[in-house]
Amino acid sequence: MSDALQIVPAGAGSGKTYRIKTDLAGLVRDGKVRPDRIMAVTFTEAAAGELRERIRGALLADGLVTEALAIERAYVSTIHGLGLRILTEHAFGAHRSPEPRHLSDSERDLLIREELAHCEALDPIKADLPRYGYKAAGWAGTTTEDGFRAGVFRAIDLLRGLGDGGTDPALAEQAERALRQQYGPVRDDPAPLRARLQAAAEKMLDAFPEGGIPYGTNASAAKDFRKQLFALREARDGRELERDWKLWETLRKLRLKAQGAQIPEQFTDLSGEVIAAADGILEHPGPLEDACTHLRALIRGAQAIMSGYAARKRDAGVIDFADMIVDAERLLRMQPEMCRAVIADIDCLVIDEFQDTNPVQFALLWRIAQAAPRTLLVGDTKQSIMGFQGADPRLTDALVARFPDHVDPLDRNWRSDPRVMAFVNAVSARLFPESYVALTPQRAETGQTALEILRMPHGPAARGGKSKPHQNIAARVKAILDDGTTVIDRHSPIDAPHPRAVNPGDIAILCRTHAQAARYADSLQSLGVPVRINRTGWMHSAPITAARNALALAADPSDTHAALCLLTLGPTAMPLQDAMTTLAEARLLDAPALAPVRGLAQAAACAPLTVVVAQVIAAAGLRDWADRLPDAAQMRADLLRLEAEAQAFE
């Protein structure tokens, strides 16, 4: 391994971007690296753009104008962009199209669903979906089948993250062996376990046939005790004890108390016997066998679907995002001359957020990294957030362990108040006792409150009050903005900080669900605090619905459906009955309100998309209409986002 390899663990605020740009600027200044021969890989387009600008700025600060201009020719991209570049530049050597069409997400999902519909390997699961943990979610409007399909899609994504290893026919057996080893010993005969639980449940019901607990007005306790009573009856009957493992789990966690209720001692004793018997599930062979059946079917089913899906893509000459990585990694692995050709074009490789690689991404990047003249790997396993996409920070940990002499962690924090860092260091040292590198704060104390905890009551008293947590927090945010609280942002010099008043853009609220985030946004907006939030249903807001139909009408002036929607849902707000009458009488397209939009047909056929969108919005009068709608600021923002999306697409 070359001495030019550097692995830089970089905690939050430790100056990783500064380290990257200064290292690269120094190498360019010393003539060791040509700016146009830098390859930098990030995980988002925004990060790629920012990194390019930072490097350019550092070179300009050193007076290296020519080199700064040459940075524009450096290859700074996302990892998917890198994979696509490799496949495109070496297409003929790989016997591929130099311009493969990229499947949209909806096209990908459709092809996979078609393969899933007739996948026989999944039949063992399909026969009894609830047994394998799939269930409907009424609150989300999803069925049991929806949950099953989502599970299959996740399995496919994880297997594709393994590259060619995900298609190994032996993978299912290997996974099953690993599962059995981790699960632990089970009994050969589960009959005594089942009999013991049945007997304990029957004894409990003999003493308390209707539950027997005076839980009074405690609704939560009442619900739990009713659920337990049903579970006890199921266990006594015994019919579900060989397949319903959730029933065993329910009986392992019997509720033994309720606020304000008098619990008989006999009830507690008999409940303890049921709980002890239900603990037999830990030794019951049934859950393990079901888990193995599930795992085998899921892996083999996902592999079969992947095979059929790959054949469909080959026939159509298309690729998806995963192919950009998987195919590029295979090309460099199977054809070393292609790998040498890639290495020949670079003087230095920089990889940011290295901890968020999945196995095939790691394989692709490491194949280049270990052969590049210079390599800088930057990341922090404690900030790995892409586990849902198969990212495995253990890969980075293994690399650090293998090359300890090449590791140079950043150990200072340039962002936070020292009191914040004292808290972070104390917590992190307990969370990561073997690997945490404490960060020494470099900024002075701000003089403002560094950490604040809002304690809000829970339970019936809180629910009966006039305010809720999101309203309380919104009020606190409003007070912070109104009270003249100051902050020192990251652009302020360390040695001469310039406090400034906090603004809404400095404040972030993190929530566990989109629904919670929407409630916080609504509460803040009701107090006059501007917010930025990705709301679900953006494409279905009133201005965007009208704009989409106006665009369709401009593209095809004879589109009566688009005309009908624009007239009834847009600024004109024509009653549906009137619009249907004019449609039946073939007069709909003659409506005066449609003339400005239909008049754009010729321009729509040849003008750039951004121009057409702007003209259609103006011709339909959508901006003035948005100003008259409830939440006018959000409605105008939706139209601006549509124009921004059009520009990005173009």
Side-chain angles (χ1 to χ4, degrees):
M1 173 54 59
S2 168
D3 291 336
L5 171 68
Q6 289 187 333
I7 304 172
V8 182
S14 61
K16 67 169 185 175
T17 306
Y18 179 82
R19 170 66 179 268
I20 293 172
K21 76 173 185 179
T22 52
D23 279 11
L24 289 178
L27 291 170
V28 171
R29 184 174 53 249
D30 295 342
K32 297 178 179 179
V33 170
R34 280 174 39 188
D36 57 320
R37 289 173 58 84
I38 293 173
M39 175 183 285
V41 181
T42 67
F43 276 79
T44 67
E45 293 287 357
E50 180 184 5
L51 182 58
R52 185 189 297 274
E53 290 304 315
R54 293 285 192 94
I55 299 171
R56 181 186 290 114
L59 293 174
L60 286 173
D62 287 345
L64 303 174
V65 177
T66 301
E67 289 81 356
L69 293 175
I71 283 292
E72 192 61 38
R73 300 194 299 276
Y75 195 77
V76 184
S77 76
T78 65
I79 187 171
H80 290 93
L82 170 64
L84 186 59
R85 177 191 180 185
I86 292 172
L87 295 176
T88 301
E89 291 185 350
H90 303 281
F92 297 116
H95 307 291
R96 305 177 61 96
S97 167
E99 293 186 1
R101 186 174 81 80
H102 176 218
L103 277 177
S104 68
D105 288 343
S106 58
E107 290 174 317
R108 167 189 177 271
D109 291 354
L110 176 62
L111 292 179
I112 291 178
R113 281 173 179 266
E114 290 178 351
E115 291 295 322
L116 191 156
H118 53 78
C119 178
E120 295 181 356
L122 292 170
D123 287 348
I125 307 176
K126 291 179 183 178
D128 192 354
L129 292 178
R131 178 169 185 163
Y132 297 100
Y134 299 103
K135 58 183 179 179
W139 59 270
T142 59
T143 66
T144 303
E145 290 72 21
D146 291 332
F148 169 62
R149 281 194 294 270
V152 174
F153 270 75
R154 286 193 296 271
I156 291 171
D157 288 340
L158 289 173
L159 292 186
R160 298 196 74 196
L162 298 177
D164 287 345
T167 62
D168 185 348
L171 185 60
E173 287 75 16
Q174 294 169 356
E176 180 180 348
R177 283 198 299 272
L179 175 58
R180 290 184 181 277
Q181 290 172 0
Q182 293 181 28
Y183 194 91
V186 295
R187 294 194 183 187
D188 294 331
D189 181 11
L193 299 174
R194 181 178 65 249
R196 181 186 177 191
L197 182 55
Q198 275 187 275
E202 183 172 10
K203 187 176 180 181
M204 180 76 170
L205 289 171
D206 286 344
F208 299 94
E210 298 299 329
I213 302 300
Y215 36 75
T217 60
N218 189 326
S220 176
K223 180 180 178 180
D224 288 346
F225 281 121
R226 283 195 297 269
K227 180 180 177 181
Q228 291 176 189
L229 179 60
F230 177 79
L232 287 165
R233 290 171 176 170
E234 288 279 294
R236 178 188 60 189
D237 295 342
R239 290 190 298 270
E240 298 297 317
L241 287 180
E242 284 305 306
R243 63 185 306 277
D244 188 351
W245 315 123
K246 187 176 180 181
L247 173 61
W248 289 70
E249 284 297 310
T250 298
L251 297 174
R252 289 185 69 204
K253 301 172 183 177
L254 290 181
R255 183 166 186 158
L256 301 179
K257 61 180 67 177
Q259 186 176 4
Q262 296 296 321
I263 307 296
E265 183 176 347
Q266 185 185 17
F267 181 90
T268 302
D269 293 341
L270 293 175
S271 294
E273 293 183 24
V274 172
I275 292 171
D279 279 341
I281 190 66
L282 301 177
E283 301 177 90
H284 198 299
L288 176 58
E289 294 308 316
D290 276 4
C292 290
T293 298
H294 187 197
L295 184 61
R296 286 194 306 270
L298 205 55
I299 291 177
R300 290 170 180 166
Q303 289 178 327
I305 292 170
M306 288 161 55
S307 177
Y309 173 55
R312 285 172 175 258
K313 286 185 296 179
R314 282 194 302 271
D315 293 342
V318 297
I319 63 172
D320 63 14
F321 271 115
D323 292 327
M324 296 177 187
I325 309 299
V326 175
D327 292 355
E329 188 277 331
R330 182 187 303 118
L331 178 65
L332 299 191
R333 172 166 44 86
M334 301 298 292
Q335 301 189 43
E337 67 277 11
M338 300 293 182
C339 187
R340 289 192 292 270
V342 171
I343 300 300
D345 289 337
I346 62 175
D347 288 341
C348 181
L349 172 66
V350 179
I351 304 173
D352 193 13
E353 305 293 358
F354 194 62
Q355 79 279 352
D356 278 328
T357 52
N358 64 28
V360 70
Q361 291 170 345
F362 181 94
L364 171 63
L365 294 174
W366 181 240
R367 193 166 296 279
I368 300 173
Q370 62 184 333
R374 289 177 178 80
T375 297
L376 177 62
L377 307 179
V378 183
D380 179 18
T381 55
K382 295 178 290 300
Q383 296 184 67
S384 180
I385 59 172
M386 306 299 286
F388 65 96
Q389 292 186 353
D392 190 346
R394 293 175 300 177
L395 298 169
T396 302
D397 286 336
L399 202 61
V400 168
R402 181 178 176 185
F403 300 105
D405 295 339
H406 296 264
V407 179
D408 182 19
L410 300 182
D411 58 3
R412 290 185 284 180
N413 177 277
W414 304 87
R415 178 183 299 165
S416 301
D417 186 292
R419 293 166 293 174
V420 173
M421 284 313 304
F423 173 77
V424 171
N425 285 333
V427 172
S428 299
R430 290 178 175 271
L431 293 175
F432 309 99
E434 297 179 358
S435 61
Y436 182 67
V437 176
L439 301 179
T440 304
Q442 301 301 299
R443 289 190 176 274
E445 290 190 10
T446 62
Q448 301 286 345
T449 299
L451 294 168
E452 180 177 334
I453 297 175
L454 300 182
R455 299 190 64 178
M456 287 171 281
H458 294 277
R463 290 193 291 271
K466 293 183 178 180
S467 63
K468 296 180 179 179
H470 53 88
Q471 294 170 332
N472 290 327
I473 291 178
R476 181 66 187 121
V477 169
K478 174 73 164 135
I480 290 173
L481 292 170
D482 291 344
D483 290 348
T485 300
T486 60
V487 295
I488 299 174
D489 64 32
R490 64 175 182 165
H491 302 294
S492 181
I494 294 291
D495 53 352
H498 301 300
R500 61 166 175 79
V502 66
N503 61 56
D506 297 320
I507 299 173
I509 297 180
L510 305 183
C511 304
R512 296 184 66 181
T513 67
H514 289 299
Q516 288 177 333
R519 287 195 291 271
Y520 279 96
D522 291 340
S523 297
L524 287 165
Q525 287 178 321
S526 69
L527 297 176
V529 178
V531 301
R532 184 174 64 182
I533 179 175
N534 262 336
R535 291 184 183 270
T536 56
W538 165 77
M539 283 292 288
H540 300 288
S541 69
I544 302 305
T545 299
R548 289 161 56 197
N549 285 287
L551 286 165
L553 186 61
D556 179 6
S558 65
D559 188 339
T560 54
H561 178 268
L564 182 68
C565 292
L566 180 58
L567 281 176
T568 56
L569 302 176
T572 305
M574 178 184 288
L576 181 59
Q577 183 60 47
D578 294 348
M580 294 298 293
T581 300
T582 60
L583 176 62
E585 296 173 353
R587 295 186 293 108
L588 180 70
L589 294 175
D590 297 329
L594 301 178
V597 176
R598 297 182 71 217
L600 295 174
Q602 186 173 357
C606 57
L609 179 62
T610 50
V611 173
V612 174
V613 170
Q615 290 179 345
V616 166
I617 289 175
L622 299 184
R623 287 195 179 86
D624 291 340
W625 179 51
D627 287 336
R628 301 192 300 271
L629 292 173
D631 197 5
Q634 184 63 51
M635 299 299 101
R636 288 194 301 272
D638 286 347
L639 286 174
L640 289 172
R641 178 173 174 180
L642 178 64
E643 293 182 281
E645 295 285 352
Q647 184 175 11
F649 174 81
E650 190 173 276

